[in-house]
């Protein structure tokens, strides 16, 4: 005990000397995205510490005191801006990119103070329902598990599926309505233990230490985004340090062991950034299951610098995972497995790309990306029939082997015509090759007379298809206060040969320096999930894919917002929205089924064939956000969503969707305390409280299930019952230590998740062994921990 105290005291004493760090980056014009020279960057509170950007827009500020710092950024002819909440440490240079907007005219303009430079989205074409976030928030907020998907669940209009998965539910839409983009191109599900056509999983394969500030959009997307009706996660990699080599080693309960390196590459301003992680959450007992999950991932971004032929870079992610659920080792209340089954799960995810940026004149550029992505998963399930009896017999119950390859080509031309008009046009082409095979005994007949349900091939396809998406959009700064964005997006789906035209528009009006209103509208389409699209149905003894000709699901988004800058660093926002959905897949005879209810689990329905595109639904609600950016040593965020999500199957009855929680309430806050003689080390406390209405579910028909020997739901009363409200409190403690003499930094944290051990329901399911309906719960109290060393 004495030795532990001496070690802690030695770390604490590192703060007895004043420490400094480095802040550097690039200043660009927001409309043209070209570098700005002559910009004055000043450390607020220290008038003697300032620099000026060079011809390439680069700047570097030395001897910046450690801790949270703020920058003032000014340039003649441009609106002044500021960047706050810069976390300066002694172990790593801080790299930032700041965009500035040219003044509308020569009159005095409003000075924009944008908090952490995040009150405006990175994508200049996005006006409504967009939130910019930083990777630092992923590690700062309590309960985040180093997962960007769990971070956005704190935003208004968003909720995650449950504690066991990070599915993103946006304004009552299915998680399958999400679009994931990395470096400008769509990617498959970027999560470990992912399955075909899902968008979430238990552990993210995206490493937040490599991400740059990014955008999250929840409605009325700009014209460059397509094939999504729920939300858009537009992520980008940051560049490595172009001046010197830096390294990081860390360990955490959920991300696992990680090593990262970055530094300069070549003599033209290039850099590299790479990291590898190996998870060990199963060893800690925090996985939520008795089975041992294994996963690892590698991410990289290599920038070759600026040349006469443009700027080339390559980027990529690879992740792999596996887990074995052995019935003899499973607890009876395990939410993922059963005593009379053995399950074997594997998954892989790859996304790599080559990006080329070419400057065209002073105010235009052409960006081209060629990418390859692969997503594969297998699931082998063996069931013990007549379990626990002398007649016990082990048979393969389910056999899934899915592999999706896609080749992507994206080109985008951006031009700033003048300070009032910016145009952007482009094309996205995706070629998919799907090798999908799903065989199951679930709900099948015994046609071969062996006494067991037959193993039937539900999906067997080797399909090749294309999605083509051309688009054009423009931003018009009509007056000093009024900005209008308009565009059109096209989408061609080669399977049903449908071409959809989607108008998009939005405007923002600044009432004064503190208040603004905005409005957005857009039509959006998305194909029915692939596992539904390629389901087999036997017609005259021949397996036939009877869902392939389903229309693209159509959604119209309407949103009206009001923003107010309440006080310095305080911001409020209200948004009201309505989303009308039609052309969803429903059965051809009267039933409660709709494809809008799919996508919240590891699998999809296996018996929904001969569907027709007559389904409808709607989502409507109001959202509130009150946010104080980090200043004076603390921050807070309060979000509330009140919403309704309904759908109609082919029976014409309006029902709750499974995502109709009704309300979501989040409150987050944190305080940092400077400690040590020089007050350069930091002790922090962060907390998060979340409550939400329970998910709606379809009750089990117990009598029918007992007769059949498998679970049968009461579809006539689909989604008529609701789980108890969700509630969770997380508390996180952290400690940051800056080295007194060298470029080194230590960080510790412990995150007490669900600290009250509140029981949140995972599911009510039929138990084949006990012939009863059992309740399975989500993860209770779960401590997360981590340590980071930068040098």
């Amino acid at each position: 005990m004495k030795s532990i105290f001496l070690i802690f005291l030695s770390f604490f004493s590192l703060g007895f000397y004043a420490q400094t760090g480095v802040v550097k980056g690039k200043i660009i014009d927001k409309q043209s995205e070209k570098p700005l020279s002559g910009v004055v960057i000043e450390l607020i509170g220290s008038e003697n510490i300032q620099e000026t950007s060079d011809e390439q827009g680069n700047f570097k500020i030395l001897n910046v005191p450690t801790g949270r710092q703020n920058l003032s950024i000014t340039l003649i002819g441009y609106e002044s801006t500021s960047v706050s909440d810069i976390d300066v440490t002694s172990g790593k240079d801080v790299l930032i990119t700041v965009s500035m907007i040219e003044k509308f005219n020569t009159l005095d303009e409003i000075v924009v103070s944008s908090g952490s430079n995040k009150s405006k989205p990175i994508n200049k074409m996005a006006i409504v329902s967009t939130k910019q976030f930083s990777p630092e928030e992923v590690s700062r907020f309590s309960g985040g598990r180093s997962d960007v998907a769990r971070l956005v669940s704190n935003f208004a209009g968003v909720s995650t599926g449950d504690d066991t998965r990070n599915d993103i539910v946006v304004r009552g839409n299915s998680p399958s309505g999400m679009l994931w983009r990395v470096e400008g191109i769509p990617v498959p599900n970027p999560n470990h233990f992912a399955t075909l056509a899902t968008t979430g999983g238990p552990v993210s394969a995206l490493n937040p230490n490599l991400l740059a500030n990014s955008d999250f959009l929840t409605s009325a997307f700009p014209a460059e985004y397509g094939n999504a009706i729920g939300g858009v996660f537009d992520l980008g990699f940051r560049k490595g340090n172009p001046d010197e080599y830096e390294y990081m080693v860390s360990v955490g309960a959920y991300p696992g062991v990680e090593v990262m390196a970055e530094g300069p590459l070549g003599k033209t301003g290039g850099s590299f950034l790479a990291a590898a992680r190996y998870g060990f959450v199963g060893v800690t007992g925090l996985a939520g299951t008795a089975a041992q999950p294994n996963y690892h991932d590698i991410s990289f971004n290599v920038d070759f610098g600026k040349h006469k032929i443009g700027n080339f870079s390559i980027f990529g992610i690879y992740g792999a995972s596996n887990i074995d659920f052995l019935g003899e080792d499973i607890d009876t209340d395990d939410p993922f497995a059963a005593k009379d089954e053995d399950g074997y799960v594997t998954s892989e995810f790859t996304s790599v790309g080559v990006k080329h940026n070419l400057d065209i004149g002073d105010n235009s550029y052409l960006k081209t990306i060629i990418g390859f992505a692969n997503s594969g998963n297998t699931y082998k399930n063996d069931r013990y029939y007549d379990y626990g009896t002398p007649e016990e017999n082990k048979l393969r119950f389910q056999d899934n082997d899915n592999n999706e390859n896609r080749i992507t080509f994206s080109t985008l031309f951006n031009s700033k015509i003048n300070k009032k008009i910016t145009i952007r046009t482009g094309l996205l082409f995706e070629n998919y090759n799907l090798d999908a095979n799903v065989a199951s005994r679930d709900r099948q007949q015994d046609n071969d007379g062996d006494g067991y349900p037959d193993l039937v091939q539900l999906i067997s396809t080797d399909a090749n298809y294309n999605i083509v998406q051309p688009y054009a959009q423009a931003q018009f700064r009509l007056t000093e206060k009024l900005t209008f964005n308009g565009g059109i997006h096209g989408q061609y789906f080669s399977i049903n040969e449908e071409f959809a035209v989607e108008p998009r528009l939005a405007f923002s009006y600044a009432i004064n320096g503190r208040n603004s209103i905005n409005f957005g509208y857009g039509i959006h389409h998305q194909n029915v999930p692939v596992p539904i699209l390629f389901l087999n149905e036997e017609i005259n003894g021949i397996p036939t894919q009877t869902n392939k000709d389903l229309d693209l699901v159509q959604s119209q988004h309407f949103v009206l917002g009001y923003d107010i800058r309440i006080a310095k660093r305080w911001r409020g926002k209200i948004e009201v929205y309505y989303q009308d959905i039609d052309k969803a897949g429903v059965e051809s005879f009267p039933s409660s089924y709709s494809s809008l209810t799919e996508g919240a689990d590891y699998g999809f329905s296996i018996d929904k064939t001969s569907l027709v595109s007559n389904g409808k639904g709607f989502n409507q609600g109001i959202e509130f956000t009150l946010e104080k950016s980090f200043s004076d040593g603390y921050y807070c965020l309060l979000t509330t969503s009140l919403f309704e999500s309904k759908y109609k199957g082919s029976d014409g009855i309006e029902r709750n969707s499974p995502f109709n929680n009704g309300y979501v309430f989040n409150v987050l806050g944190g305080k940092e305390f400077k400690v040590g003689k020089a007050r350069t080390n930091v002790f922090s406390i962060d907390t998060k409280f979340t409550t939400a209405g329970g998910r709606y579910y379809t009750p089990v028909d117990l009598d029918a299930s007992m007769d059949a020997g498998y679970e049968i739901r009461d579809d006539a009363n689909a989604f008529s019952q609701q789980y108890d409200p969700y509630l969770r409190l997380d508390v996180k403690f952290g400690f940051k230590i800056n080295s007194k003499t060298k470029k080194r930094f230590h960080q510790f944290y412990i995150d007490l998740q669900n600290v009250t051990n509140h029981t949140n329901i995972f599911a009510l399911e039929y138990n084949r062994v006990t012939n009863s309906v059992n309740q399975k719960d989500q993860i209770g109290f779960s401590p997360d921990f981590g340590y980071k060393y930068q040098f």
Side-chain angles (χ1 to χ4, degrees):
M1 185 67 183
K2 181 179 179 181
S3 61
I4 295 175
F5 175 76
L6 291 175
I7 292 173
F8 179 81
L9 185 63
S10 66
F11 278 134
F12 187 82
S13 65
L14 293 176
F16 287 4
Y17 300 85
Q19 298 302 305
T20 62
V22 176
V23 177
K24 56 188 176 184
K26 182 184 287 287
I27 312 295
I28 62 173
D29 180 288
K30 189 172 182 68
Q31 295 164 290
S32 68
E33 300 182 28
K34 295 299 182 70
L36 295 175
S37 62
V39 180
V40 177
I41 305 100
E42 180 180 329
L43 185 68
I44 296 176
S46 303
E47 295 182 0
N48 295 328
I49 302 180
Q50 69 175 38
E51 290 293 337
T52 302
S53 63
D54 62 19
E55 292 182 355
Q56 299 301 318
N58 298 318
F59 70 93
K60 184 175 184 180
I61 307 177
L62 304 175
N63 301 317
V64 179
T66 57
R68 303 278 174 179
Q69 302 296 339
N70 308 309
L71 297 178
S72 171
I73 300 168
T74 56
L75 176 65
I76 295 175
Y78 280 77
E79 295 179 357
S80 299
T81 187
S82 66
V83 182
S84 66
D85 190 21
I86 302 174
D87 191 12
V88 180
T89 71
S90 61
K92 186 181 186 327
D93 296 352
V94 180
L95 279 73
I96 62 174
T97 299
V98 182
S99 58
M100 302 186 72
I101 299 176
E102 192 172 359
K103 284 185 177 181
F104 192 88
N105 52 41
T106 58
L107 299 177
D108 290 338
E109 296 274 343
I110 301 165
V111 176
V112 178
S113 181
S114 58
S116 299
N117 199 38
K118 297 190 303 175
S119 64
K120 303 293 183 182
I122 294 173
N123 189 326
K124 55 182 167 286
M125 298 295 177
I127 289 182
V128 299
S129 302
T130 306
K131 170 72 174 176
Q132 182 187 158
F133 67 91
S134 70
E136 190 270 339
E137 292 173 314
V138 180
S139 60
R140 186 207 312 165
F141 290 169
S142 182
R145 299 184 186 175
S146 299
D147 186 343
V148 293
R150 297 186 189 276
L151 166 70
V152 301
S153 68
N154 301 308
F155 300 161
V158 185
S159 63
T160 53
D162 54 58
D163 294 339
T164 61
R165 288 174 61 86
N166 64 4
D167 295 288
I168 302 172
V169 176
V170 178
R171 293 179 170 176
N173 286 283
S174 164
S176 62
M178 280 293 303
L179 167 66
W180 287 88
R181 293 210 328 179
V182 175
E183 285 294 295
I185 59 173
V187 297
N189 185 345
N191 288 283
H192 293 296
F193 307 102
T195 52
L196 180 65
T198 59
T199 59
V203 182
S204 175
L206 292 169
N207 189 334
N209 292 311
L210 277 76
L211 296 178
N213 281 18
S214 302
D215 285 340
F216 182 75
L217 302 90
T218 58
S219 184
F221 325 129
E224 68 186 85
Y225 302 111
N227 203 31
I229 63 172
V232 177
F233 222 140
D234 195 4
L235 299 161
F237 282 132
R238 67 177 180 88
K239 295 182 179 180
N241 193 326
D243 301 318
E244 57 183 300
Y245 298 103
E246 295 180 330
Y247 308 93
M248 184 197 76
V249 178
S250 69
V251 59
Y254 287 95
V257 178
E258 178 180 355
V259 293
M260 184 173 71
E262 60 183 289
L265 183 68
K267 299 180 180 180
T268 57
S271 66
F272 74 91
L273 172 65
R277 303 188 299 182
Y278 185 86
F280 62 86
V281 68
V283 177
T284 65
L286 302 176
T289 177
Q292 171 70 54
N294 303 294
Y295 53 91
H296 58 274
D297 51 66
I298 300 170
S299 304
F300 65 89
N301 187 28
V302 181
D303 187 320
F304 294 99
K306 195 167 186 178
H307 300 269
K308 291 182 179 180
I309 59 173
N311 175 251
F312 283 93
S313 63
I314 60 174
F315 59 89
I317 311 171
Y318 169 76
S321 53
N322 68 82
I323 187 171
D324 294 342
F325 297 100
L326 303 180
E328 61 182 6
D329 299 331
I330 294 298
D331 297 330
T332 56
D333 58 349
D334 193 302
F336 300 105
K339 279 289 187 181
D340 62 344
E341 293 181 355
D342 292 336
Y344 308 91
V345 177
T346 69
S347 72
E348 285 191 339
F349 163 73
T350 304
S351 179
V352 294
V354 178
K355 182 167 67 174
H356 176 243
N357 275 66
L358 178 66
D359 288 338
I360 302 175
D362 295 332
N363 292 308
S364 304
Y365 70 86
L366 179 69
K367 179 169 67 175
T368 304
I369 307 169
I370 299 175
F372 169 80
N374 168 266
S375 178
N377 72 280
T378 66
Y379 176 56
K380 314 296 181 183
N381 178 273
D382 295 328
R383 179 168 295 182
Y384 295 85
Y385 284 89
D386 301 312
Y387 175 72
T389 70
E391 292 76 28
E392 182 176 288
N393 187 20
K394 177 182 176 181
L395 293 175
R396 176 58 48 90
F397 183 78
Q398 188 149 340
D399 195 340
N400 299 359
D401 190 351
N402 302 313
N403 192 71
E404 178 191 273
N405 294 315
R406 67 173 81 174
I407 298 173
T408 304
F409 173 81
S410 172
T411 184
L412 179 155
F413 174 74
N414 186 92
S415 181
K416 177 183 177 181
I417 306 300
N418 52 48
K419 67 181 69 176
K420 298 181 180 181
I421 303 175
T422 304
I423 62 170
R424 175 175 285 187
T425 185
L427 174 73
L428 175 68
F429 171 82
E430 296 176 281
N431 172 257
Y432 290 76
N433 181 266
L434 176 66
D435 184 5
N437 295 276
V438 176
S440 178
R441 297 181 189 270
D442 187 22
R443 308 188 185 201
Q444 302 304 319
Q445 302 296 318
D446 177 19
N447 294 318
D448 59 10
D450 65 353
Y452 302 102
D454 296 343
L455 185 65
V456 176
Q457 197 75 28
L458 301 175
I459 297 177
S460 179
T461 187
D462 186 2
N464 190 285
Y465 59 95
N466 303 316
I467 299 178
V468 185
Q469 300 177 66
Y471 61 88
Q473 55 191 341
Q475 180 181 85
F476 304 92
R477 301 175 70 194
L478 300 176
T479 70
E480 188 176 6
K481 296 182 176 182
L482 180 61
T483 299
F484 173 79
N485 288 354
I488 191 165
H489 178 274
Q491 182 168 327
Y492 172 75
F493 190 47
S494 68
I495 291 180
N496 61 6
E497 298 184 344
E498 180 180 353
F499 184 80
V501 178
E502 305 171 344
R504 315 280 178 85
L505 61 90
F507 73 81
S508 176
Y509 179 73
I511 301 171
N512 51 44
R514 300 169 64 91
N515 302 268
S516 65
I517 60 173
N518 51 67
F519 172 80
Y521 168 77
I523 296 178
H524 309 266
H525 290 82
Q526 184 179 35
N527 60 270
V528 171
V530 166
I532 302 297
L533 212 58
F534 290 106
L535 269 178
N536 283 333
E537 179 182 8
E538 287 219 0
I539 298 179
N540 298 323
I542 301 174
T544 306
Q545 296 168 344
T546 55
N547 293 335
K548 287 181 65 175
D549 291 330
L550 285 172
D551 294 339
L552 297 174
V553 179
Q554 178 178 287
S555 172
Q556 293 190 74
H557 293 190
F558 304 82
V559 59
L560 178 65
Y562 172 70
D563 286 77
I564 179 172
R565 188 157 57 91
I566 301 170
K568 185 178 181 181
R569 309 300 182 199
W570 285 88
R571 174 173 168 260
K573 184 176 183 179
I574 300 174
E575 282 197 340
V576 180
Y577 66 89
Y578 180 80
Q579 180 183 4
D580 181 74
I581 306 173
D582 61 10
K583 298 185 179 181
V586 296
E587 294 185 290
S588 56
F589 54 88
S591 82
S592 62
Y593 173 78
S594 170
S595 63
L596 298 178
T597 64
E598 300 276 6
D601 207 337
Y602 290 94
F604 291 79
S605 297
I606 62 173
D607 58 350
K608 304 304 180 184
T609 53
S610 293
L611 300 181
V612 294
S613 300
N614 295 332
K616 296 182 180 295
F618 71 87
N619 300 306
Q620 61 184 5
I622 183 170
E623 300 166 358
F624 305 88
T625 298
L626 178 64
E627 181 177 17
K628 179 191 178 294
S629 59
F630 214 122
S631 63
D632 301 323
Y634 75 100
Y635 71 93
C636 65
L637 173 66
L638 184 150
T639 61
T640 301
S641 305
L642 305 173
F643 64 98
E644 186 177 37
S645 177
K646 302 279 190 174
Y647 81 97
K648 289 182 181 180
S650 56
D651 59 7
I653 299 174
E654 185 175 276
R655 291 181 168 87
N656 296 296
S657 86
F659 316 107
N660 188 24
N661 299 81
Y663 68 92
V664 179
F665 175 80
N666 297 295
V667 59
L668 298 86
K671 173 69 175 176
E672 290 187 347
F673 303 88
K674 295 181 178 180
V675 295
K677 186 176 180 179
R679 297 177 64 79
T680 56
N681 296 335
V682 174
F683 173 73
S684 62
I685 301 176
D686 298 88
T687 187
K688 172 187 173 183
F689 173 76
T690 297
T691 185
R695 287 277 185 92
Y696 279 91
Y697 68 97
T698 302
V700 174
D701 187 331
L702 182 57
D703 291 338
S705 299
M706 293 173 65
D707 290 340
Y710 53 80
E711 182 179 87
I712 295 178
R713 297 278 175 167
D714 182 10
D715 289 334
N717 293 298
F719 307 109
S720 60
Q721 297 187 19
Q722 189 176 20
Y723 292 133
D724 293 337
Y726 177 91
L727 186 146
R728 174 168 153 170
L729 174 66
D730 303 324
V731 180
K732 184 176 183 179
F733 302 94
F735 193 42
K736 300 177 182 179
I737 304 170
N738 292 288
S739 173
K740 65 179 181 178
T741 57
K742 298 182 178 181
K743 188 175 182 178
R744 294 177 181 174
F745 171 74
H746 304 266
Q747 182 176 4
F748 306 83
Y749 74 83
I750 181 168
D751 193 355
L752 306 178
Q753 301 180 9
N754 196 1
V755 68
T756 64
N757 199 30
H758 181 79
T759 300
N760 292 303
I761 298 176
F762 177 76
L764 292 171
E765 297 179 343
Y766 171 67
N767 187 319
R768 299 179 307 274
V769 177
T770 63
N771 277 327
S772 61
V773 176
N774 291 352
Q775 176 176 315
K776 295 185 177 182
D777 297 327
Q778 298 184 37
I779 300 173
F781 171 68
S782 176
D784 185 11
F785 60 87
Y787 166 71
K788 179 190 293 185
Y789 175 46
Q790 293 177 326
F791 59 101

